[in-house]
Amino acid sequence: MSDSSCVSQLTKLASNAPVDAATVEYRSDGSVLIVSNGQIDPTALEASGIAARIVVAAGPGAALDPTGGDTAVRQVPARVVEMRGWLGQFVPAWSTALGDLRSNGVSGGDHEQFDIVIDLSDPPLIDRSVVPIGYFAPRDRQQLADALAQAADLVGRFSKPKYFHYDPEICTHQSFGQTGCTRCLEVCAADAIRSDGDRIAVEPQLCQGCGACTLACPTGALSYAGADRADLLAQLDDALGAAHGAAPVVLAGQLDTPFPAPERDRIVEFPVQPLAAFGEELWFAALARGAGRVVLLADAAIPAETRQLLDQRVAAARTILEACGQPADGIALAQDRAQAVELIRGDPVQPVPSPDDPSAHAPLPTQTKRALLTGALARLETTQRFEPAPLPAGAPLGTLLIDRDRCTLCSACAKICPTGAVRYADEDADGQAKLGFAEDLCVQCGACAQGCPEQAITLQPRIASAETRAHWRVLNAEPLADCPDCGRGFMPRKLLEANIRRMTGPQTPAAAVEQMRRCPDCRHWRIRNP
């Protein structure tokens, strides 16, 4: 039972049935709020089979039945301006204060929370691809009749799976108060994810298992429950090992209907629902383990936000393959079954490495999403002279550009970076402060750019060679300022001068400026020994 375009399915529970941590529970007594711009015929509601209380919010000035119709139906001359919640816990915001409603003989309890909402307003109060369970926005009489019929069944206890797992330790949403990655918030069609300080919070009652957040997440902090990455890779290996012939096509998606024999003989079927749970790290891993092509079969139930994300990630994946020396069409998204058949029948793509190459069967790292992605890409790389290729904004691979005229080597970026991709060394053998950077660790979250006080950092999404990505390189370096008393280098010169400019003015005594040029130890010694 579902009223969304996602995969969420409700299960009716007995009154005493237990619910475990992997399950989300809903409780509904069947109270219904109908949001209407005009009069609703109470007899139509009586015929719907709904036995519990119904409140009709018809808006100020609407023609209301003066008798109120059936005692279970109460009509209210007030407008609903906002709706929040889900089955069993919908909370409307009213244009009229609850005190005014009570003065009309309506109790506050009738209007503070509802189990089910039937929204006839135009535009709907909740206008997104995936609406909460228990919310209906019918546009015609037939849809209204269907909504009333479904509402009559939504009484009792229900459950659905908790579709996600969240690991806050590897989340790059915020760091030291600076906002970084917001990819999951941007793609959630159910609006179930919100910022919660340094981390994100997912509302399990709103999440309906679209999986887009797990595809968008660059670190694997959000993953799809029940679809462990190591298990998926093991299943993929088994399927490829049992395939007939070389360079089979891996077909992933909701595969309810078998393909005909000519196509079936060329494919490795990999049923996965939702499709977004089969992430890009597994696309590349399949090719690295000998698949000739990966075809992702979309289905009609995929929300628009998820489909757009898939389009973007597949386009980026094709750019990456081309840069690695692989055919760009090694990864393709089929919008329907007919297009999938065309792709399966197309010219085979020679896998690199070939199935005869021992490296094709060597284990890939599965400890993290990032490790699997970079490990698979390193194996696919065959280009002798790898030219870095730009990727679209939002891609999880890339480097940083530093404006050295602005950068003072204050080290804020190194402190902020949640993945350790930027490191600061305050002194090396050359007597310089240096910012080091490892591209393999950078997920392009942007926290460093947000937190840079000099606005000296720009993200540059790209795919570079495995050697370039793995190598620590210097982003910027600056000689240390020497303490005039002890001679020890203690701070990048440019940072010291920037601090002096910020903290002093024309009237600042020269002795105070000179004190700032000393190292902390000498500064404290002079304070104690004036």
Side-chain angles (χ1 to χ4, degrees):
M1 177 187 310
S2 174
D3 52 61
S4 81
S5 60
C6 226
V7 301
S8 183
Q9 296 292 315
L10 290 184
T11 300
K12 187 74 177 283
L13 296 174
S15 59
N16 59 348
V19 176
D20 59 31
T23 304
V24 180
E25 182 183 7
Y26 301 86
R27 293 175 180 264
S28 168
D29 295 327
S31 64
V32 179
L33 170 63
I34 297 181
V35 183
S36 170
N37 292 327
Q39 185 177 7
I40 294 291
D41 182 4
T43 59
L45 302 179
E46 294 167 20
S48 68
I50 299 175
R53 168 175 54 88
I54 297 176
V55 175
V56 179
L64 299 177
D65 181 351
T67 67
D70 187 270
T71 54
V73 180
R74 188 178 296 278
Q75 302 185 61
V76 180
R79 186 172 65 252
V80 180
V81 295
E82 185 182 359
M83 185 64 62
R84 295 178 292 107
W86 48 82
L87 177 65
Q89 294 188 40
F90 283 106
V91 180
W94 299 89
S95 61
T96 302
L98 282 176
D100 296 335
L101 293 175
R102 295 187 185 104
S103 68
N104 288 329
V106 178
S107 68
D110 282 342
H111 295 82
E112 292 170 358
Q113 185 168 300
F114 296 85
D115 297 317
I116 300 159
V117 172
I118 297 177
D119 184 5
L120 304 179
S121 57
D122 188 18
L125 293 166
I126 300 178
D127 190 11
R128 54 178 183 256
S129 299
V130 179
V131 299
I133 294 175
Y135 174 88
F136 304 88
R139 299 294 92 186
D140 55 41
R141 284 182 173 274
Q142 184 56 55
Q143 290 183 7
L144 174 58
D146 293 342
L148 290 169
Q150 292 183 60
D153 291 333
L154 290 175
V155 179
R157 292 180 67 214
F158 300 89
S159 72
K160 71 172 181 62
K162 181 182 176 184
Y163 291 106
F164 64 91
H165 174 72
Y166 177 55
D167 182 356
E169 296 302 316
I170 57 174
C171 179
T172 60
H173 174 54
Q174 284 193 12
S175 181
F176 287 89
Q178 301 300 321
T179 299
C181 179
T182 58
R183 295 174 176 97
C184 62
L185 284 81
E186 294 163 3
V187 302
C188 180
D191 198 24
I193 307 175
R194 68 179 188 276
S195 178
D196 187 22
D198 283 354
R199 300 295 180 254
I200 55 101
V202 185
E203 185 54 70
Q205 279 83 1
L206 289 176
C207 172
Q208 297 186 49
C210 303
C213 59
T214 66
L215 175 59
C217 180
T219 63
L222 271 173
S223 57
Y224 198 81
D228 180 78
R229 189 172 299 105
D231 291 343
L232 289 175
L233 185 60
Q235 295 169 27
L236 191 60
D237 282 344
D238 291 343
L240 287 170
H244 300 291
V249 175
V250 172
L251 179 65
Q254 189 171 355
L255 309 177
D256 297 330
T257 306
F259 277 71
E263 286 73 38
R264 190 169 61 247
D265 294 341
R266 300 184 63 178
I267 64 176
V268 170
E269 292 192 355
F270 199 77
V272 60
Q273 178 68 356
L275 179 59
F278 188 69
E280 58 203 330
E281 73 281 8
L282 292 164
W283 308 347
F284 292 114
L287 296 175
R289 301 308 293 263
R293 177 178 286 135
V294 174
V295 175
L296 309 170
L297 177 56
D299 61 81
I302 292 179
E305 294 86 344
T306 308
R307 189 178 294 269
Q308 182 179 16
L309 176 64
L310 282 165
D311 285 335
Q312 293 170 349
R313 288 301 173 88
V314 167
R318 293 164 78 93
T319 299
I320 291 170
L321 285 178
E322 205 164 29
C324 289
Q326 303 285 353
D329 59 356
I331 295 173
L333 177 63
Q335 300 298 339
D336 53 36
R337 188 179 174 88
Q339 190 177 8
V341 169
E342 289 182 14
L343 290 166
I344 294 168
R345 290 175 178 172
D347 294 334
V349 179
Q350 181 62 38
V352 178
S354 70
D356 297 329
D357 188 332
S359 68
H361 306 284
L364 284 166
T366 59
Q367 62 270 32
T368 65
K369 178 178 183 175
R370 187 70 177 188
L372 179 55
L373 174 65
T374 56
L377 291 181
R379 190 171 297 181
L380 289 171
E381 186 178 317
T382 62
T383 306
Q384 295 300 315
R385 293 187 59 188
F386 195 117
E387 295 296 331
L391 295 175
L397 299 164
T399 187
L400 302 178
L401 300 180
I402 300 292
D403 185 336
R404 296 195 176 194
D405 291 335
R406 286 177 172 268
C407 176
T408 62
L409 276 94
C410 68
S411 76
C413 54
K415 293 184 178 73
I416 291 169
C417 179
T419 63
V422 184
R423 292 180 183 173
Y424 174 76
D426 59 5
E427 186 174 5
D428 66 358
D430 301 327
Q432 291 188 318
K434 292 183 178 179
L435 280 179
F437 176 72
E439 196 161 331
D440 246 355
L441 299 178
C442 178
V443 298
Q444 297 283 288
C445 71
C448 60
Q450 290 288 334
C452 176
E454 311 299 341
Q455 298 182 325
I457 301 175
T458 303
L459 303 182
Q460 187 185 46
R462 71 173 191 176
I463 176 63
S465 68
E467 181 181 4
T468 298
R469 296 196 312 271
H471 178 65
W472 281 90
R473 64 180 186 274
V474 176
L475 291 176
N476 199 9
E478 175 75 14
L480 295 175
D482 295 331
C483 173
D485 287 359
C486 68
R488 179 173 67 87
F490 69 96
M491 180 184 291
R493 292 177 185 173
K494 192 178 289 187
L495 177 60
L496 176 61
E497 296 304 322
N499 288 344
I500 290 174
R501 286 194 299 273
R502 289 191 184 101
M503 300 172 66
T504 63
Q507 306 305 316
T508 304
V513 175
E514 189 64 20
Q515 181 76 328
M516 293 181 66
R517 296 189 182 280
R518 295 186 173 92
C519 71
D521 290 343
C522 292
R523 195 180 306 150
H524 294 156
W525 187 90
R526 282 183 173 267
I527 292 172
R528 293 192 302 268
N529 303 275

